């Protein structure tokens, strides 16, 4: 049974800046959900709040397994992840970057190696496993960020501008992977993008965000 | 050049005292500096600037104050630590601590905040997030410790006052050099000077390496 | 703080490099722990470890003569008491004793010692040995002090001829003696063109005198120990006047004033110094050039 998510009446302020103004949606089944909207419309903020990395000022964010609503504790947080637009690679090897999420979960050494290598492979980075992450190209770093997220096998995956500032070749690799994840149809994937083509290609459901509200385009 | 037993024991004692002082300063200063860099609390900026100010503490003042405290009539006189290597460790520790704290703080504060965000997004607990940041700052943290080590090994005033430069007990490289020059024992002074220079050279090479490694692109 | 590394990546040299991140810190702490465990007794006061130990405040010149390095092992072998010598200027050495940071004071400034005894800071002061001061200068002796009848007269001749004189000006025992002689001669040398204030130790002052072709007051120990080594083109031009005698005394910190002072051990040291064995050791002591530096002269009556 996939982990699902519902957001209701969420407001978020940064100082006097009212960024999210009552956002409500429900992603009740596996699939890829894409948020579009102009810069500054609040997409990134919404993803951070929905991924439980930031607290909303008002409203609720709930995760469900079937009919059951789960407590927002570290156990739940560890079942979801968000890939940031600026990846923030750690100053270590590509392998170590991907292994990080597994290490902090106390996964055994053999399993780490297996899963990390699989994640690296799925993004065409296996041959770079021993390279220092900081020395990878920005496209490769973006892929590494995705591999790092996939390694922990998140049940809900948030992607904030996964292909912004990435060249065509890297964009294709990332998009192909997202398509194959979508085909598996076993989890909720949430993407924020302002790339219309990408949105059209990936989305099971497309949502528009404008001035902190979900609107009909 | 003289490489005799006396020289050897002076060098050994110097290294033991300084390493012990630095280890203690590291044990306390690095976690404190990391806390300063990671946590928010009232008066934080005052604590940070205090550490930065104390970094430039004149060693002779540290020596004098410590002497008065450790003196048999001083507050801690009952410990009878004056004129022991332990007193020198204490003096060097006091000199090293603010350096380690202040430099650790800036090392951690210099880490791109996106690192903490990424660790958090991958499910790290607050402690694990701090560890990820520490790991990111590891070269700068090592530099902080090495810089502090460089300062304490080169220091004369404080260790002279609380150690007493007692032959075979508390005579370290710097105090021995000062004394030998004074009495015209240039040979031993030069040998010791050479050892000291070698050590500080090694320190600077290490610092340089760490700073270069740490400065490599991370974005 | 050290993160686990997978076995395979550890094996590659590149990944070994990763370890240097925090490894120095870990190594450091490890090493320090070792030092602490193996050296704790040496690092703190021996008394903590059950050993006996006293602090002797003395002067830099006495320590530099090498006397203590010769005497103390004999004493320690005999009694098991370690004597830690803290060498300072005369004034500072007496002050250390007054504060109770030393147990015994061994200096050569009789008047100052007597005064401190009268003030009640010290007890059982004993004469131990003496050496003497000499006036050295250019071998040609331009001021003709060789024929002077006294040290005071020698100083007068230097002053009246305007011959350069280098003073230590460091408040040492030698310096105090020099000022005393100027005073007795009724001369105010300070500030005169021919009077140079070196502000240095004895050996450096001698070297300055050598370079300036000047006179200076030195102690015989330093003179003998350094004249060849430093290739000094100077000679002893005046000696033997009783005013030039440098009496060394030893005294114990008064336990009534400083209850923490280790009086028993201090007295053991003093008694050994003035007894036959200590006196003979002092007489037998020779510097690196084979010169006898001190003449033992303890009398059995305490003062
Ligand atoms: N951490 C923050 N602190 C203050 N303001 C923020 C923060 N994050 C976002 N904002 C503000 O919120 C608004 C929405 O930003 P964001 O959610 O990044 O929009 P989008 O991702 O759609 O471009 C912007 O005005 C931005 O300046
Ligand atoms: Mg954004």
């Amino acid at each position: 049974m996939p982990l699902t998510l519902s957001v209701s009446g969420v407001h978020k302020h940064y100082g006097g800046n009212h960024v999210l103004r009552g956002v409500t949606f429900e992603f009740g089944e596996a699939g890829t959900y894409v948020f579009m909207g102009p810069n500054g419309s609040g997409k990134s903020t919404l993803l951070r709040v929905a991924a439980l990395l930031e607290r909303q000022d008002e409203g609720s964010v709930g995760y469900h397994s079937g009919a059951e609503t789960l407590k927002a504790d570290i156990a739940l947080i560890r079942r979801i992840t968000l890939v940031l637009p600026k990846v923030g690679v750690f100053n270590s090897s590509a392998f170590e970057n991907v292994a990080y999420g597994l290490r902090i979960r106390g996964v055994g050494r053999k399993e780490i190696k297996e899963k990390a290598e699989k994640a690296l492979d799925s993004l065409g980075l296996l041959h770079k496993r021993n390279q220092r992450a900081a020395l990878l190209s920005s496209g490769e770093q973006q892929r590494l960020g995705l591999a790092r997220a996939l390694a922990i096998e998140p049940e809900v995956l948030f992607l904030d501008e996964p292909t912004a500032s990435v060249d065509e070749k890297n964009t294709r690799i990332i998009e192909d992977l997202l398509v194959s994840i979508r085909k598996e149809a076993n989890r909720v994937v949430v993407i924020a993008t302002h790339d219309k083509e990408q949105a059209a290609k990936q989305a099971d459901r497309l949502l528009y965000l404008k001035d902190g509200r979900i609107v009909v385009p | 050049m003289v490489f005799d037993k006396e020289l050897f024991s002076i060098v050994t004692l110097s290294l033991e005292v300084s390493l012990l002082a630095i280890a203690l300063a590291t044990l306390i200063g690095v976690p404190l500096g990391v806390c300063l860099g990671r946590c928010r609390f009232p008066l934080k900026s005052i604590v940070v600037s205090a550490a930065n100010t104390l970094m430039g503490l004149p060693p002779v003042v540290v020596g004098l104050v410590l002497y008065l405290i450790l003196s048999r009539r001083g507050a801690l006189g009952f410990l009878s630590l004056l004129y022991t290597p332990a007193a020198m460790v204490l003096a060097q520790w006091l000199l090293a601590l603010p350096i380690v704290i202040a430099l650790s703080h800036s090392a951690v504060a210099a880490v791109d905040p996106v690192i903490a965000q990424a660790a958090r997004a991958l499910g790290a607990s607050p402690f694990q997030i701090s560890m990820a940041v520490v790991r990111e700052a590891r070269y700068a943290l090592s530099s902080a410790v090495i810089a502090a080590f460089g300062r304490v090994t080169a220091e004369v005033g404080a260790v002279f006052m609380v150690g007493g430069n007692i032959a075979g007990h508390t005579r370290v490289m710097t105090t021995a050099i000062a004394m030998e020059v004074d009495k015209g024992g240039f040979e031993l002074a030069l040998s010791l000077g050479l050892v000291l220079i070698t050590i500080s050279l090694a320190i600077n090479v290490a610092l340089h390496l760490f700073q270069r490694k740490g400065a490599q692109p991370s974005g | 703080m050290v993160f686990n590394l997978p076995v395979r990546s550890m094996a590659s040299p590149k990944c070994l490099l990763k370890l240097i991140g925090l490894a120095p810190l870990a190594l450091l702490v490890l090493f320090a722990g070792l030092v602490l465990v193996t050296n704790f007794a040496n690092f703190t006061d021996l008394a903590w470890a059950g050993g006996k130990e006293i602090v002797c405040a003395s002067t830099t010149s006495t320590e530099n003569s090498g006397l203590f390095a010769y005497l103390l092992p004999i004493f320690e072998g005999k009694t098991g008491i370690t004597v830690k010598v803290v060498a300072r200027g005369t004034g500072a050495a007496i002050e250390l004793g007054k504060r109770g940071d030393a147990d015994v004071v061994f200096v050569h400034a009789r008047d100052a010692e007597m005064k401190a005894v009268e003030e009640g800071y010290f007890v059982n002061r004993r004469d131990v040995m003496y050496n003497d001061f000499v006036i050295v200068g250019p071998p040609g002796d331009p001021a003709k002090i060789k024929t002077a009848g006294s040290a005071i007269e020698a100083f007068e001749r230097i002053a009246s001829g305007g011959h350069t004189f280098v003073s230590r000006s460091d408040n040492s025992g030698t310096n105090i003696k020099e000022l005393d002689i100027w005073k007795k001669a009724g001369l105010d040398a300070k500030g005169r063109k021919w009077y140079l204030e070196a502000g240095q130790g004895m050996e450096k002052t001698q070297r300055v005198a050598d370079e300036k072709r000047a006179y200076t007051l030195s102690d015989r120990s330093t003179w003998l120990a350094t004249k060849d080594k430093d290739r000094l083109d100077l000679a002893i031009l005046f000696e033997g006047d009783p005013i030039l005698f440098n009496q060394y005394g030893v005294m114990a910190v008064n336990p009534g004033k400083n209850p923490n002072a280790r009086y028993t051990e201090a007295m053991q040291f003093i008694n050994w110094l003035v007894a036959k064995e200590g006196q003979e050791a002092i007489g037998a002591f020779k510097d690196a050039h084979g010169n006898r530096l001190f003449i033992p002269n303890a009398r059995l009556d305490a003062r």
Side-chain angles (χ1 to χ4, degrees):
Chain A
M1 206 179 295
L3 190 60
T4 62
L5 131 98
S6 65
V7 164
S8 139
V10 161
H11 286 259
K12 178 78 187 173
H13 303 254
Y14 287 117
N17 191 357
H18 196 168
V19 180
L20 297 178
R21 305 170 176 234
V23 179
T24 302
F25 58 79
E26 183 174 359
F27 299 155
E29 55 185 15
T32 299
Y33 303 84
V34 177
F35 282 102
M36 284 203 64
N39 280 334
S41 57
K43 302 183 297 293
S44 297
T45 307
L46 179 57
L47 257 58
R48 288 197 301 270
V49 169
L52 303 175
L53 295 175
E54 249 175 70
R55 264 200 81 74
Q56 66 277 15
D57 299 327
E58 252 176 74
S60 67
V61 175
Y63 281 82
H64 319 281
S65 179
E68 189 193 351
T69 299
L70 304 168
K71 221 176 113 215
D73 54 12
I74 182 104
L76 173 62
I77 288 172
R78 286 191 166 177
R79 293 167 71 179
I80 61 185
T81 192
L82 163 65
V83 180
L84 297 158
K86 190 186 168 201
V87 173
V89 298
F90 304 131
N91 189 3
S92 55
S93 68
F95 179 90
E96 277 304 312
N97 266 267
V98 177
Y100 179 76
L102 299 164
R103 282 199 201 295
I104 59 175
R105 284 168 174 74
V107 174
R109 187 169 285 191
K110 233 179 92 189
E111 198 181 337
I112 288 178
K113 185 166 154 2
E114 241 164 58
K115 288 185 171 172
E117 287 185 349
K118 190 173 142 224
L120 282 167
D121 196 29
S122 68
L123 283 147
L125 287 171
L126 192 54
H127 64 294
K128 304 246 169 169
R129 48 166 293 160
N130 287 331
Q131 194 139 333
R132 281 191 52 190
L135 301 180
L136 296 172
S137 74
S138 67
E140 287 166 336
Q141 289 194 14
Q142 196 73 38
R143 276 151 65 193
L144 188 64
L146 190 48
R148 197 162 66 175
L150 289 178
I152 59 177
E153 297 168 342
E155 291 170 67
V156 176
L157 172 62
F158 294 89
L159 300 159
D160 191 356
E161 309 276 6
T163 58
S165 72
V166 170
D167 66 7
E168 240 171 83
K169 182 184 143 242
N170 283 294
T171 302
R172 213 177 50 240
I173 298 174
I174 292 171
E175 287 195 345
D176 287 352
L177 182 77
L178 293 179
V179 167
S180 73
I181 291 176
R182 187 178 164 205
K183 273 194 190 132
E184 287 170 27
N186 59 358
R187 63 179 130 190
V188 173
V189 176
V190 184
I191 303 173
T193 183
H194 58 257
D195 178 341
K196 278 197 188 106
E197 254 174 70
Q198 183 175 65
K201 189 171 159 191
Q202 301 291 346
D204 288 315
R205 197 171 134 200
L206 197 53
L207 300 95
Y208 290 90
L209 205 61
K210 191 166 180 276
D211 297 331
R213 287 192 186 88
I214 293 177
V215 296
V216 181
Chain B
M1 294 291 301
V2 270
F3 280 109
D4 55 4
K5 239 183 97 192
E6 188 187 1
L7 178 113
F8 183 76
S9 74
I10 290 172
V11 171
T12 315
L13 182 68
S14 304
L15 289 177
E16 283 176 349
V17 165
S18 296
L19 282 170
L20 199 54
I22 287 297
L24 293 175
T26 303
L27 230 48
I28 292 167
V30 169
L32 268 177
V34 170
C35 280
L36 274 183
R38 296 282 312 149
C39 314
R40 266 180 237 150
F41 56 89
L43 303 183
K44 175 174 154 169
S45 63
I46 293 178
V47 174
V48 171
S49 45
N52 276 312
T53 311
L54 292 179
M55 238 169 101
L57 219 57
V60 280
V61 176
V62 173
L64 179 62
V65 171
L66 200 58
Y67 166 73
L68 292 174
I69 293 172
L70 294 181
S71 168
R72 284 197 188 142
R73 296 199 174 167
L76 297 180
F78 65 94
L79 293 172
S80 53
L81 285 180
L82 191 65
Y83 303 138
T84 64
M88 297 195 288
V89 171
L90 210 55
Q92 295 197 344
W93 179 75
L94 279 175
L95 288 172
L97 194 60
I99 302 178
V100 174
I101 292 176
L103 293 184
S104 300
H105 164 255
S106 50
V108 166
V111 172
D112 191 335
V114 81
I115 293 293
Q117 282 174 31
R120 193 160 140 73
L122 288 167
S125 66
F127 178 73
Q128 288 171 329
I129 295 172
S130 289
M131 281 296 113
V133 172
V134 164
R135 192 166 191 234
E136 226 41 37
R138 62 197 183 275
Y139 296 111
L141 286 174
S142 291
S143 301
V145 171
I146 294 169
F149 183 74
R151 167 149 157 144
V152 297
T153 46
E155 197 281 322
V156 199
V159 289
F160 180 75
M161 271 192 248
V162 302
N165 189 34
I166 297 167
H169 285 273
T170 56
R171 187 161 295 168
V172 290
M173 285 192 272
T174 50
T175 57
I177 290 174
M179 186 196 77
E180 289 295 329
V181 168
D182 204 47
K183 72 171 193 189
F186 287 112
E187 250 185 291
L188 182 57
L190 265 178
S191 304
L192 285 169
L194 218 67
V195 175
L196 203 56
I197 286 172
T198 310
I199 290 172
S200 80
L201 200 73
I203 288 169
N204 277 305
V205 168
L207 259 180
H208 182 73
L209 283 178
F210 280 123
Q211 271 157 3
R212 233 188 36 191
K213 282 213 88 154
Q216 274 175 10
S218 64
Chain C
M1 280 194 207
V2 182
F3 284 59
N4 290 328
L5 293 164
V7 176
R8 257 186 59 189
S9 66
M10 264 248 257
S12 85
K14 235 192 206 163
C15 292
L16 273 180
L17 269 180
K18 284 191 304 195
L19 273 172
I20 3 180
L22 288 169
L25 307 192
L27 267 176
L28 188 68
V29 172
L30 199 80
F31 178 87
L34 257 165
V35 170
L36 249 181
V37 169
T38 55
N39 259 357
F40 185 76
N42 292 344
F43 263 48
T44 51
D45 197 316
L46 264 184
W48 283 35
K52 289 187 193 170
E53 171 175 292
I54 53 172
V55 173
C56 170
S58 185
T59 68
T60 320
S61 63
T62 316
E63 194 191 17
N64 287 352
S65 72
L67 176 70
F68 288 124
Y70 175 80
L71 281 187
L72 297 181
I74 304 176
F75 175 68
E76 186 172 351
K78 177 106 181 158
T79 60
I81 298 172
T82 305
V83 181
K84 303 204 298 189
V85 176
V86 178
R88 295 290 148 91
T90 305
I94 294 175
E95 191 57 36
L96 278 184
K98 282 189 184 176
R99 290 184 51 88
D101 286 327
D103 305 295
V104 114
V105 171
F106 190 150
V107 292
H108 44 97
R110 204 176 194 154
D111 292 347
E113 290 164 46
M114 291 306 197
K115 185 163 167 271
V117 170
E118 265 158 37
E119 287 165 356
Y121 289 105
F122 301 96
V123 291
N124 295 316
R125 185 197 170 280
R126 307 292 295 269
D127 282 342
V128 178
M129 62 191 194
Y130 71 92
N131 71 345
D132 63 340
F133 294 110
V134 292
I135 307 177
V136 299
D141 192 15
K144 304 272 174 283
I145 65 171
K146 259 184 192 159
T147 56
S150 69
I152 293 170
E153 196 188 335
F155 269 39
E156 279 165 356
R157 288 186 187 181
I158 293 170
S160 64
H163 300 286
T164 313
F165 183 94
V166 185
S167 164
R168 279 178 68 163
S169 302
D170 60 352
N171 228 359
S172 60
T174 312
N175 183 224
I176 290 168
K177 175 67 73 181
E178 175 217 320
L179 295 177
D180 185 40
I181 299 172
W182 287 120
K183 205 172 145 197
K184 290 204 165 95
L187 285 162
D188 189 13
K190 204 171 155 68
R192 301 289 186 82
K193 224 179 112 199
W194 48 266
Y195 186 76
L196 299 182
E197 300 188 75
Q200 308 258 25
M202 193 66 249
E203 188 176 4
K204 279 195 194 149
T205 303
Q206 283 180 166
R207 270 187 258 144
V208 174
D210 186 33
E211 258 155 51
K212 301 275 177 202
R213 314 301 309 135
Y215 290 89
T216 191
L217 184 71
S218 182
D219 61 283
R220 195 183 294 273
S221 319
T222 308
W223 167 254
L224 288 174
T226 56
K227 68 175 163 70
D228 295 330
K229 185 172 63 123
D230 290 352
R231 300 208 188 84
L232 298 175
D233 187 20
L234 298 171
I236 293 181
L237 299 173
F238 188 88
E239 60 190 319
D241 184 339
I243 201 179
L244 294 179
F245 279 24
N246 192 21
Q247 181 63 51
Y248 285 73
V250 67
M251 54 196 183
V253 170
N254 183 353
K257 277 228 164 161
N258 283 292
N260 287 330
R262 292 170 190 156
Y263 178 70
T264 317
E265 290 84 2
M267 281 316 296
Q268 264 180 281
F269 183 49
I270 292 174
N271 288 334
W272 182 81
L273 280 173
V274 301
K276 188 161 174 269
E277 196 185 346
Q279 291 283 296
E280 279 175 6
I282 290 169
F285 168 64
K286 293 199 176 77
D287 70 2
H289 311 276
N291 300 307
R292 267 185 74 176
L293 296 187
F294 301 103
I295 300 127
N297 70 336
R299 286 171 302 155
L300 288 177
D301 55 322
R303 308 192 52 176

